[in-house]
């Protein structure tokens, strides 16, 4: 494992411990359970937050830092941890190709030697179709677990 990657994970873990010490997850849970709009507003806030975070941060440190904070809120609102995980992973993946600082987009454009604007134009159809899938995942979360629930009743 590269030293810099190990340092990033250690730093994210230390910051996660600090946020846990100050019980930020309890504060976030109280905020979302008292807010009107319920699970839909919560998931839309999660998508917006992780899209922003994914634009500037790699996926693994972002999940190490923020999933323990929002998971209690999701379970309190009746959202399956599997659905929350799917939403977070898809959103962070989209954030990696979102300008102005989408890390994967910057790397791909520098390797290919094209401008970042042209690289984003090339990925735009895939990006928009992924946004549609993400919104369907947010709006109809139980549909995505229908087949696994039918195969493994009582597991989900």
């Amino acid at each position: 494992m590269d030293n810099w990657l190990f340092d990033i994970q250690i730093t994210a873990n230390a910051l996660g411990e600090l946020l846990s010490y100050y019980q930020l997850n309890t504060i976030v849970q109280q905020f979302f359970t008292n807010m009107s709009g319920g699970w839909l507003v919560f998931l839309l806030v999660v998508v917006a937050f992780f899209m922003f975070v994914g634009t500037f941060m790699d996926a693994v440190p972002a999940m190490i830092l923020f999933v323990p904070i929002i998971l209690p809120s999701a379970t309190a609102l009746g959202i399956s941890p599997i659905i929350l995980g799917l939403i977070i992973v898809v959103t962070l993946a989209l954030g990696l190709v979102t300008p102005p600082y989408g890390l994967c987009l910057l790397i791909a454009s520098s390797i290919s030697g094209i401008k970042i604007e042209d690289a984003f134009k090339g990925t735009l159809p895939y990006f928009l179709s992924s946004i549609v899938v993400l919104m369907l995942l947010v709006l109809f979360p139980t549909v995505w677990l229908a087949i696994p629930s039918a195969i493994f009743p009582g597991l989900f």
Side-chain angles (χ1 to χ4, degrees):
M1 184 185 265
D2 291 337
N3 261 348
W4 64 272
L5 185 58
F6 185 70
D7 292 342
I8 289 172
Q9 290 178 340
I10 292 293
T11 305
N13 195 15
L15 185 56
E17 291 291 327
L18 182 67
L19 295 175
S20 175
Y21 175 76
Y22 287 112
Q23 298 179 348
L24 187 61
N25 58 350
T26 306
I27 296 168
V28 170
Q29 181 179 357
Q30 289 173 353
F31 174 77
F32 281 113
T33 53
N34 294 332
M35 187 173 62
S36 63
W39 61 271
L40 182 60
V41 171
F42 173 76
L43 288 178
L44 291 174
V45 169
V46 165
V47 166
F49 176 74
F50 277 103
M51 184 68 77
F52 176 76
V53 168
T55 302
F56 298 101
M57 185 181 231
D58 195 32
V60 173
M63 287 188 277
I64 290 171
L65 279 176
F66 300 115
V67 169
I69 294 171
I70 64 167
L71 185 59
S73 301
T75 54
L77 291 169
I79 300 167
S80 168
I82 296 170
I83 294 296
L84 182 67
L86 283 171
I87 290 171
I88 290 171
V89 168
V90 170
T91 306
L92 285 172
L94 286 173
L96 287 172
V97 294
T98 304
Y101 187 74
L103 186 60
C104 289
L105 192 63
L106 285 174
I107 291 171
S109 66
S110 67
I111 289 172
S112 64
I114 61 175
K115 294 188 295 187
I116 195 166
E117 295 87 11
D118 295 333
F120 185 69
K121 286 178 190 173
T123 62
L124 195 58
Y126 304 106
F127 182 81
L128 293 176
S129 63
S130 297
I131 290 287
V132 169
V133 169
L134 181 63
M135 286 301 111
L136 289 173
L137 184 60
V138 167
L139 294 174
F140 308 107
T142 56
V143 171
W144 299 89
L145 290 178
I147 293 175
S149 295
I151 295 172
F152 304 104
L155 188 60
F156 300 102

